[in-house]
């Protein structure tokens, strides 16, 4: 097994995440896309760790932090979704352009 | 603490001439330069509360000046005086390692003493006269203050020991003339005339200023004595710039001395009160140019004069030509003027042409002598004209006529002045004009000499016309004219005397006892002038001049003395002396009319037309064009172009800002797109750059 | 392996933790009318946190922990101090502001303190993980605080936009970090630095490291709101509660800069040819784009948002200039940026405080409606002038020295690109004045409409006091620039460690 | 009195007005008299101090900095609080403090809307501090600070007390209030220039570090400059750096084509603002050339001199022509400044002692004369409520004193010999006749001739202005109006100016006596050989 | 390494299987027009990722992923979807169709860049000790030793998210309700 195998998957996930982020109208869907991107990073980190085998498994540690932070972000994101949904009765991001220029 | 004024070190004048120092009088001559200004301040301060509205101060100052000037004049007669005083007013940098300085000061030598005398003498009389003339007029106080400024500036000019101070006096004269010409500024014509005078002079001043710069920076010094010495010694550097400097200075002189084509301001300048005209035409202002030429005479005589500038035309030749055109062409114009002051004004221009021609041709003494004599009789004529105007309340000769009975003093003095101007022996004008003819003859300008003779004819002709129309025939104006008060007639008489006698100051070969003659008096300079002096009068030339003068009078008399419309005028024709001629009046009249008709008609009209539409037109046109150019520059270039660029930049940034803030769509996904694309582009740029 | 912990070194963090937990606990027990007390606790906590900072500053030498991944040196202390002080000012600004509306005070202070804690931690971070965590802790509470005016749609929108772009930037930054980790096998800056120095020439690794560095820089670029990663800023600033906006534009931005400093100077100093041009572009774009856009703004908060973007551009200039000209003057660049940051923080907070008072007074954030404020309330007018003209860089207000340092550093770097950037900065200084002057114009030059005299209660004494103090310091710093310089020079220790 | 001579006096001159400004802010607005008295007292004391400095100044060592001190200021960059006066700055310093006194006297009874004397005086005093500071600063950074400090007060003066009318600006869709447009334009232009000027300073600073120690110290840098350290021959960007400084100073002067802020600012500014702007602020730019650009970058200056001379002479002609097109009296006077400062710059461009002396006396004279003209324009528009020359006329009849003073000042402005304005023009032409060795004398002589012709145009527009405003019959609309002729405050402010105009006109040594040695030394140090006019270079 | 060698290793078969699943699922996450499906595809993606982690010897991380994401986060997502009452049926309006081409282009470019850099950089770099899981003890020791500080700090992130999230998400009481509560 080569690291690149995993990196390719990660790159694909990351790019798909970006795609999703750019096209999805629903905020929750956008959040899903973000999760894809963060997960791609995790795959990177773990794959590198598998190749490096550092003494403290730094890559895995890093990925644990990323997972935790991602979870927190989801929490925050959903809270924001709830907040705006209550005010606007919509979770579509392109409904939100009160402020521009 | 050092004294504010640091007296420049005395330097012995150069040259072979042994001259006296002039003693205390010369050391204090500067007082004459200052007194009129003191009077000016006093008039401004207290004038309104004085009985004669401040004229007292002006007259007082002028009287003191005249005393001093007379004393100097006499001492200069006894022994030639040369004395300079210099007060440094600034060091302005280095020139060849030594300080380049500006100075004020005065020079007391033959030339300046003559000018002091003329200015003070004529000035005093004009001031006195003005008390009467201006009585009850508007702004009398201000008028006398300005007169003081005028006379004072002229004294500063003629007393100056260096070019810089000369410029100060020079433009001071200009400003004073502006103030005086525009005395009745409620009418736009008057203020326009004042502006015209100032601006035309200012144009010429460019020449003076640049000429001063050429001279000053060639010598590292602005003093006349340095210039004179360098010119006589043939200083190489000065020689290098001599033509340029000479022409520039001459250009300056042309403005003040109203040489063709810069004479145009002068007739308009008649807008001022008559005493101003008298002062301006006799003693101050117009003589300044001649004075400048005389002051820098060694430059022309030794260096500049013979430098060829256009083909074989040399500097001197150019100057003579300008003078000749002025003397003849402008004289003709006097023939067609109805305004008596305009007649006199053109006459002045013409006489200035004589002076300029003489000085240019190399006749230092001749030019100055004519200046000297002319000052008296021209002042006399103007004051006389003023007296008439005062009486009839009009400037136009068509409103006058037959005044000789009502105003006898004026008539007689005016006649004396006219005869002197016409060059009738033995009045002053005869001698000085003769000297000019002699000089032109000697220096080889025969053609010009004949023009000068012709000019003499014209001069006599128009003066006769003026006298005839004013004092003979019948009165055509309104009211009953009276002789002017004695404060006005006294100056007339006082001027008539020298108009008669001063010609004898310089009869060739004649010396006034131990006092020498005019030639020696004005020859008292730091260096010899090197002009030619005839040892005896050349009666051949004198006869030509006299004949021309008499001819002019006779022809003039025949025409104007026998004014067909006025019985009185026809009566006058039968003056016994002229009677034989008048017997054949038919031929004579026709012949004279033919000749003069041509001169007065097409020629004069042509000249007048050229003057009005070409020269004046050019000047007015230049003014209009310049103003239009101003509009173009301001509206077209400044507001649209230069400012437009900056406003354009501002407007551009504004709309760029608008365009850029359009990027801020408010859609978060557009932002994210920008975000990712930005990141990718950054990578791309950096990778490509690396 | 045992890791010694120097408790004095992390005392500021600990004090912050205690006080934020205290705030949370108090919030539970206090009755509604006494909730404001949590604010007092937060203020006191921050004040207390300053004490160990001073002690540490006086104490000798840098303290290094966890294999050198957490370092307390003068650089860290200066920036921690900056975070604490600016946080302090934000708290005081908040006190009056959030009391006047339906805010959750306890939670609010808790989140602010959390964010400050994140910044404070990050200033000492010397490995990727702590850097990442610190940044996240700085940012995450702000996602929510931006939406703190829950009933206001603009505030919601601010929060949403900030959040979405925030997580996007986090993801991109993490990708970059993971690549750097993969390439160098370490998360320690020092190790990364040496590994990168070996690898950067390699044809295979080069692009990857470049990508990694740029992606990480993108994350920082987002934090400092540099163009083209700035899009969130105007909208979020406008919508968020004003004290939060102030915090965003100062502390959060400063945090981004700190992250950028430690990352580029300590982790990838040898990649100067990569991050140099990147920063150069960000600097040039930020200044120009934001300034031009700011010219069009009519809302004062939005104007300040664009202003803060352009200021970020100015702050990047020394950096960029030092980097593109070969990196010989990096120390000077750092110092200049820190000096700029210190001065900017002060004056920008002052400007926001003025905006808070002004909005209260006038009832609007639309610049035109501030007409005649100077005559209505000269004191506020003078303060507004001081801060806005200081932002514009007009001597003798402190802002001039910030700009001066920036130019100094840029010119010192030398080289065409540095000069060009300095030129762009110079032009932008002029453009910037045009919109700062807009505020002064409204305040002083325009006539007040007849009926705008709104009677408001006197602003909180503490805010006025702090504001006046900030104004005085702004002037004093401008007259005696040795003061900000002192902080700037202290931060040179950052480079002393790596010996560059 | 040791402290006094070691910087104390100059520091007082700078900071006394500043302290007074702060003090005034503490006095309640209502105590107007007290505020005015205090402001006047302080300005008089400042002026007195500058006179003490002037009389204590050792003219024998005018090329040395006196009353100087140097204190450490910004240690990180080695910028010092280095102040001192030499013969070049002394006249300008005295001029500055002097005009300030007159401006305050004049203000006493002349407040533009919205009044607020306290605010106005505070700004004036700050302005004074900035101006005085600029003239004594001997450190580039210090110079820069003071150079900029003057901007804000002037900006506020124009913006708050300025012309309230609306104006259509080409390129913009809406009409904008004149004062707003003018104030921001003034500020942006100056800021634009000074931003680049600062870049130039910094480049010099670091370049100094390459050959010696990094320093902002002007005398030290001048010495380095004289030794050729900043010559483009050894420092590739030397010319560019001069260009940067040029931009900064030229905008302030202002030289064509950077002048367009000036007519707007002058027209819009309140009277006293215009006066200070014309009398002092413009001088900061030309002073900068003399104090900084020439001595530090002599070789680049040599390269740039022809361009400066050409721009200067364009300014002379262009300014005069633009004046001819004006219908607004104040705007006309403003444009006249473009022309007059053109002569100042022409003098500087010659790089000779004569030319620089010309610039200095030209600056002083322009300060006095144009200052007075703006006073007059202000007082007249105060009475007529219009500045349209087409509507004025017969002022000499309505207000004889005012008219007389206006005539006098116009005469002075057109460079009448014997009044102050003449020397600057004449000497500038003198300098241009014989520019520094190595400069094209053909070009400079052409410029000299064109400049001399410019004096005619100058006379033209001033005389036409007088004709329109002063002479003729009063217009219909003024008949029956009661006009107050010059009041005592105006007299008190104007008479000293008139006296000085005459005194300097007759005895320019008052200015040149102080400056000449300093200028000669400056030119010799900076341009070494060929510094003085020599006979050899002359020729037809 | 030659492809035949590569494909002959069984572990790569597993990789291919899991990897394909992950990719397909990820595709569906961003393309599915049904919100619930999208969320469920994310579950599949994450589960597949966990599988990949196992392949890479990161057992602990794999199970954390399963626990945290599949156990908690996805539930959160589903809650979010429910609460925002997104239609459970196919929703044509889920995508901003106009944005698709640009988004696809950007994603493609990004993928190209990312994969290109990775492939050139790491070439044949192989995973070491395939099948040998990292000991959880090592992780634990590192987390509570060398990484104790970020470990603690990340706790505050969670706390902040919790506190802030609750505050934001909760419905504000009306003044009347508040009064009632105050009385209690």
């Amino acid at each position: 097994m080569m690291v690149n195998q995993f990196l390719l998957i990660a790159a694909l996930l990351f790019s798909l995440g970006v795609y999703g982020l750019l096209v999805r109208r629903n905020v929750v869907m956008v959040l899903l896309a973000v999760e894809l991107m963060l997960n791609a990073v995790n795959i990177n980190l773990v794959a590198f760790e598998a190749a490096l085998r550092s003494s403290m498994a730094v890559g895995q540690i890093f990925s644990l932090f990323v997972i935790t932070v991602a979870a927190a972000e989801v929490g925050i994101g959903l809270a924001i979704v709830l907040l705006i949904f209550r005010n606007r009765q919509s979770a579509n991001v392109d409904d939100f352009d009160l402020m521009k220029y | 603490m050092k004294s504010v004024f640091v007296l420049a070190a005395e330097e012995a004048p150069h040259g072979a001439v042994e001259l006296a120092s002039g003693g205390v009088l010369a050391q204090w001559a500067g007082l004459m330069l200052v007194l009129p200004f003191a009077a000016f301040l006093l008039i401004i301060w207290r004038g309104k509360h004085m009985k004669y509205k401040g004229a007292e101060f002006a007259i007082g100052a002028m009287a003191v000046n005249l005393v001093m000037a007379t004393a100097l004049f006499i001492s200069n007669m006894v022994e030639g005086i040369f004395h300079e005083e210099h007060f440094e007013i600034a060091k302005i940098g280095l020139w060849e390692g030594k300080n380049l300085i500006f100075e004020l000061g005065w020079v007391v030598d033959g030339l300046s003493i003559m000018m002091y005398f003329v200015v003070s003498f004529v000035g005093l009389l004009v001031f006195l006269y003005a008390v009467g003339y201006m009585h009850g007029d508007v702004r009398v106080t201000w008028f006398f203050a300005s007169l003081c400024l005028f006379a004072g500036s002229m004294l500063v000019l003629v007393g100056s020991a260096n070019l810089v101070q000369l410029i100060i006096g020079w433009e001071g004269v200009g400003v004073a003339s502006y103030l005086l010409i525009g005395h009745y500024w409620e009418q736009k014509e008057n203020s326009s005339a004042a502006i015209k005078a100032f601006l035309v002079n200012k144009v010429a001043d460019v020449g003076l200023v640049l000429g001063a710069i050429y001279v000053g920076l060639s010598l590292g010094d602005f003093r006349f004595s340095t210039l004179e010495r360098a010119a006589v010694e043939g200083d190489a550097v000065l020689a290098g710039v001599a033509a340029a400097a000479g022409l520039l200075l001459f250009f300056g002189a042309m403005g003040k001395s109203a040489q063709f084509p810069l004479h145009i301001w002068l007739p308009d300048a008649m807008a001022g009160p008559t005493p101003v005209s008298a002062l301006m035409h006799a003693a101050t202002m117009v003589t300044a140019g001649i004075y400048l030429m005389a002051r820098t005479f060694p430059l022309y005589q030794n260096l500049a004069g013979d430098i060829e500038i256009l083909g074989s035309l040399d500097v001197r030749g150019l100057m003579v030509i300008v003078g000749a055109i002025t003397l003849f062409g402008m004289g003709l114009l006097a023939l067609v003027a109805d305004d008596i002051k305009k007649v006199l004004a053109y006459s002045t221009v013409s006489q200035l042409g004589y002076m300029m021609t003489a000085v240019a041709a190399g006749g230092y003494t001749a030019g100055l002598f004519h200046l000297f004599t002319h000052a008296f009789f021209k002042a006399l004529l103007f004051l006389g004209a003023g007296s008439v105007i005062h009486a009839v309340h009009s400037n136009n000769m068509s409103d006058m006529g037959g005044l000789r009975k009502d105003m006898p003093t004026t008539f007689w003095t005016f006649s004396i002045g006219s005869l002197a101007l016409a060059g009738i022996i033995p009045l002053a004008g005869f001698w000085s004009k003769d000297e000019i003819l002699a000089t032109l003859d000697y220096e080889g300008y025969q053609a010009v000499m004949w023009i000068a003779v012709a000019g003499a004819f014209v001069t006599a002709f128009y003066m006769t016309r003026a006298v005839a129309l004013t004092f003979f025939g019948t009165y055509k104006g309104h009211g009953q004219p009276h002789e002017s008060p004695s404060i006005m007639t006294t100056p007339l008489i006082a001027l008539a005397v020298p108009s008669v006698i001063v010609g004898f100051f310089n009869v060739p070969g004649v010396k006034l006892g131990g006092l020498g003659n005019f030639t020696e008096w004005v020859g008292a300079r730091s260096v010899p002038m090197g002009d030619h002096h005839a040892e005896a009068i050349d009666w051949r030339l004198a006869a030509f001049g006299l004949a021309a003068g008499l001819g002019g009078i006779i022809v003039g008399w025949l025409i104007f003395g026998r004014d067909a419309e006025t019985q009185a005028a026809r009566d006058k024709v039968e003056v016994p002396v002229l009677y034989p001629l008048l017997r054949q009046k038919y031929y004579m009249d026709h012949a004279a009319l033919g000749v003069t008709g041509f001169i007065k008609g097409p020629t004069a009209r042509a000249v007048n037309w050229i003057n009005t539409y070409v020269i004046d037109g050019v000047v007015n046109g230049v003014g209009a064009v310049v103003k239009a150019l101003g509009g173009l520059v301001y509206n077209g270039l400044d507001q649209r172009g230069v400012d437009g660029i900056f406003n354009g930049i501002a407007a551009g940034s504004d709309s760029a800002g608008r365009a850029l803030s359009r990027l801020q769509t408010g859609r978060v996904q557009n932002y994210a797109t920008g975000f990712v694309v930005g990141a990718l582009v950054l990578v791309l740029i950096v990778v490509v750059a690396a | 392996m045992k890791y010694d912990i120097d408790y004095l070194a992390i005392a500021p963090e600990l004090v912050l933790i205690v006080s934020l937990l205290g705030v949370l606990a108090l919030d539970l027990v206090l009755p509604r009318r006494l909730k404001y007390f949590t604010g007092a606790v937060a203020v006191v906590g921050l004040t207390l946190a300053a004490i160990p900072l001073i002690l540490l500053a006086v104490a000798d030498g840098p303290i290094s922990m966890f294999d050198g991944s957490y370092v307390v040196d003068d650089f860290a202390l200066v920036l921690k101090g900056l975070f604490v002080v600016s946080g302090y000012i934000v708290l005081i600004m908040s006190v009056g502001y959030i009391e006047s509306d339906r805010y959750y005070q306890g939670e609010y202070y808790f989140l602010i303190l959390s964010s400050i804690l994140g910044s404070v931690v990050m200033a000492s971070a010397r490995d990727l993980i702590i850097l990442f965590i610190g940044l996240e802790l700085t940012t995450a509470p702000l996602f929510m605080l931006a939406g703190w005016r829950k009933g206001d749609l603009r505030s919601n929108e601010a929060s949403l936009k900030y959040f979405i772009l925030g997580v996007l930037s986090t993801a991109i930054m993490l990708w970059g970090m993971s690549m750097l980790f993969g390439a160098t096998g370490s998360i320690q800056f020092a190790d990364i630095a040496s590994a990168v120095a070996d690898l950067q020439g390699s044809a295979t690794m080069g692009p990857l490291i470049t990508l990694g560095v740029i992606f990480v820089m993108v994350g920082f670029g987002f934090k400092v709101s540099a163009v083209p990663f700035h899009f969130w800023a105007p909208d979020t600033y406008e919508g968020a509660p004003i004290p939060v906006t102030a915090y965003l534009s100062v502390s959060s931005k400063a945090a981004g800069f700190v992250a950028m400093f430690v990352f580029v100077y300590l982790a990838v100093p040898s990649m100067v040819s990569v991050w140099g041009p990147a920063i150069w572009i960000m600097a040039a774009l930020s200044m120009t784009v934001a300034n031009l856009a700011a010219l069009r703004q009519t809302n004062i908060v939005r104007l300040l948002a664009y202003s803060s973007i352009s200021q970020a551009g100015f702050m990047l200039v020394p950096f960029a200039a030092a980097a593109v000209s070969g990196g010989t003057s990096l120390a000077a660049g750092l110092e200049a940026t820190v000096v700029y940051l210190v001065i900017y923080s002060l004056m920008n907070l002052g400007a926001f405080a003025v905006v808070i008072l002004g909005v209260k007074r006038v009832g609007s954030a639309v610049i035109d409606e501030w007409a005649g404020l100077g005559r209505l309330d000269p004191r506020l007018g003078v303060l507004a002038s001081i801060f806005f003209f200081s932002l514009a860089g007009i001597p003798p207000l402190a802002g001039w020295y910030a700009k001066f340092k920036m130019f100094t550093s840029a010119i010192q770097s030398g080289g065409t690109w540095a000069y060009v950037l300095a030129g762009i900065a110079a032009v932008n200084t002029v453009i910037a004045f045009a919109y700062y002057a807009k505020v002064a114009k409204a305040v002083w030059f325009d006539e007040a409409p007849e009926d705008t005299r709104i009677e408001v209660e006197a602003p909180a004494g503490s805010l006025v006091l702090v504001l006046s103090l900030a104004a005085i310091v702004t002037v004093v710093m401008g007259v005696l620039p040795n003061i900000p310089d002192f902080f700037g020079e202290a931060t040179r220790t950052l480079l002393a460690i790596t010996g560059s | 009195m040791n402290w006094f001579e070691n910087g104390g006096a100059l520091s007082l001159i700078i900071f006394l007005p500043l302290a007074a400004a702060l003090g005034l802010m503490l006095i309640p607005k209502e105590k107007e008299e007290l505020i005015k008295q205090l402001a006047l007292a302080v300005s008089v004391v400042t002026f007195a101090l500058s006179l003490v400095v002037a009389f204590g100044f050792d003219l024998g060592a005018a090329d040395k900095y006196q009353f100087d001190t140097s204190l450490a200021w910004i240690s990180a960059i080695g910028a010092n609080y280095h102040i001192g006066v030499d013969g070049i700055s002394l006249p300008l310093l005295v001029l500055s403090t002097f005009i300030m006194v007159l401006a305050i006297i004049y203000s006493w009874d002349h407040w533009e809307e919205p009044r607020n004397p306290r605010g106005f005086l505070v700004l004036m005093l700050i302005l004074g501090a900035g101006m005085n500071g600029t003239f004594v600063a001997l450190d580039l950074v210090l110079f820069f600070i003071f150079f900029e400090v003057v901007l804000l007060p002037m900006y506020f003066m124009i913006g708050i007390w300025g012309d309230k009318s609306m104006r259509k600006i080409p390129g913009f869709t809406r009409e904008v209030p004149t004062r707003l447009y003018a104030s921001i334009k003034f500020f942006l232009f100056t800021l634009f220039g000074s931003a680049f000027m600062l870049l130039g300073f910094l480049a010099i600073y670091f370049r100094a570090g390459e050959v010696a120690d990094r320093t902002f110290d002007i005398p030290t840098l001048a010495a380095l400059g004289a030794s050729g350290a900043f010559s483009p021959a050894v420092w590739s960007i030397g010319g560019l750096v001069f260009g940067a400084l040029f931009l900064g100073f030229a905008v302030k002067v202002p030289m064509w084509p950077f002048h367009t802020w000036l007519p707007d600012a002058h027209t819009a500014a309140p009277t006293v603002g215009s006066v200070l702007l014309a009398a002092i602020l413009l001088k900061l730019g030309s002073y900068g050339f003399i104090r900084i650009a020439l001595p530090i970058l002599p070789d680049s200056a040599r390269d740039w001199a022809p361009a400066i001379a050409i721009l200067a002479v364009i300014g002379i002609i262009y300014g005069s022509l633009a004046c001819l097109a004006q219908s607004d009296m104040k705007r006309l006077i403003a444009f006249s400044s473009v022309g007059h400062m053109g002569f100042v710059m022409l003098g500087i461009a010659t790089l000779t002692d004569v030319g620089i002396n010309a610039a200095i006396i030209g600056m002083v004279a322009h300060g006095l004369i144009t200052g007075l003209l703006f006073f007059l324009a202000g007082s007249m528009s105060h009475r007529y409520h219009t500045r349209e020359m087409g509507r004025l006329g017969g002022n000499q009849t309505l207000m004889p004193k005012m008219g007389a003073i206006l005539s006098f000042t116009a005469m002075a402005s057109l460079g009448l010999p014997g009044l102050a304005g003449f020397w600057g023009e004449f000497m500038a032409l003198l300098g241009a006749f014989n520019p520094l060795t190595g400069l094209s004398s053909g070009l400079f002589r052409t410029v000299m001739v064109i400049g001399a012709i410019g004096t005619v145009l100058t006379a033209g527009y001033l005389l036409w202005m007088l004709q329109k405003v002063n002479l003729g019959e009063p217009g219909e609309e003024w008949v029956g109006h009661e006009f107050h002729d010059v009041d005592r405050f105006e007299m008190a402010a104007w008479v000293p100016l008139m006296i000085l105009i005459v005194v300097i006109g007759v005895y320019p040594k008052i200015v040149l006596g102080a400056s000449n040695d300093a200028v000669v030394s400056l030119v010799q140090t900076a341009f070494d050989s060929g510094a003085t006019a020599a006979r050899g270079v002359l020729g037809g | 390494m030659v492809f035949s060698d590569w494909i002959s290793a069984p572990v790569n078969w597993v990789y291919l299987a899991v990897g394909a699943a992950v990719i397909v699922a990820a595709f569906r996450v961003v393309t599915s027009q049904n919100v619930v499906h999208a969320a469920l595809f994310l579950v599949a993606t994450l589960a597949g990722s966990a599988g990949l982690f196992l392949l890479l010897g990161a057992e602990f991380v794999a199970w954390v992923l399963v626990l945290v994401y599949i156990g908690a986060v996805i539930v959160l997502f589903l809650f979010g979807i429910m609460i925002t009452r997104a239609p459970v049926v196919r929703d044509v309006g889920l995508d901003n169709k106009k944005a698709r081409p640009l988004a696809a282009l950007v994603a493609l470019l990004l993928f190209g860049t990312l994969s290109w850099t990775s492939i050139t950089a790491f070439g044949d770099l192989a995973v070491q000790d395939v099948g040998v899981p990292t000991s959880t003890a090592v992780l634990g020791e590192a987390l509570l030793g060398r990484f104790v500080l970020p470990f603690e700090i990340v706790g505050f992130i969670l706390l902040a998210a919790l506190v802030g999230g609750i505050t934001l998400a909760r419905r504000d009481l009306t003044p009347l309700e508040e009064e009632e509560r105050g009385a209690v």
Side-chain angles (χ1 to χ4, degrees), chain D residues 483-494:
Chain D
F483 288 101
H484 296 284
D485 209 341
V486 183
D487 66 33
R488 60 203 168 104
F489 295 112
E490 289 168 335
M491 238 2 162
W494 298 349

Side-chain angles (χ1 to χ4, degrees), chain C residues 420-444:
Chain C
V420 170
L421 192 61
I424 295 174
V427 172
N428 273 297
T429 310
V430 181
I431 301 177
F433 178 82
Y435 59 82
Y436 290 124
K438 222 166 146 178
V439 180
K441 180 210 125 198
V443 170
W444 292 110

Side-chain angles (χ1 to χ4, degrees), chain B residues 313-330:
Chain B
L313 181 68
D314 56 12
V315 171
R316 190 192 302 278
L318 179 74
M319 292 161 66
V320 168
I321 288 171
V322 169
I325 294 174
T326 310
L327 84 84
F328 188 74
M330 299 307 118

Side-chain angles (χ1 to χ4, degrees), chain D residues 268-279:
Chain D
T271 305
V272 172
S274 302
V275 171
L276 292 175
L277 193 58

Side-chain angles (χ1 to χ4, degrees), chain B residues 638 642-644 646, chain D residues 185 189 254 257-265 331:
Chain B
D638 193 69
V642 181
D643 210 23
F646 292 113
Chain D
K185 193 174 185 182
F189 265 71
F258 306 110
H259 67 281
T260 66
W261 64 269
L262 181 111
D264 289 316
R331 208 168 167 80

Side-chain angles (χ1 to χ4, degrees), chain B residues 49-116:
Chain B
H49 310 287
M50 308 283 291
K51 187 178 174 213
Y52 292 104
K53 304 288 176 198
E56 297 91 335
F57 296 122
I59 291 165
M62 266 332 209
V64 174
N65 273 5
L66 181 59
V67 171
M68 284 187 76
T70 312
L72 280 169
F73 198 80
I74 292 167
S75 2
N76 188 46
M77 287 172 162
V78 176
E79 48 174 355
I81 293 176
F82 176 79
H83 180 77
E84 284 182 297
E85 294 278 351
H86 303 286
F87 301 101
E88 180 194 313
I89 54 166
K91 293 190 180 68
I92 61 162
L94 293 184
W95 189 90
E96 292 238 299
K98 61 183 174 50
N99 283 316
L100 191 58
I101 57 177
F102 284 155
E103 291 167 316
L104 295 183
W106 58 87
V107 58
V108 181
D109 64 2
L111 176 58
S112 66
I113 288 171
M114 189 271 284
M115 292 302 294
Y116 292 145

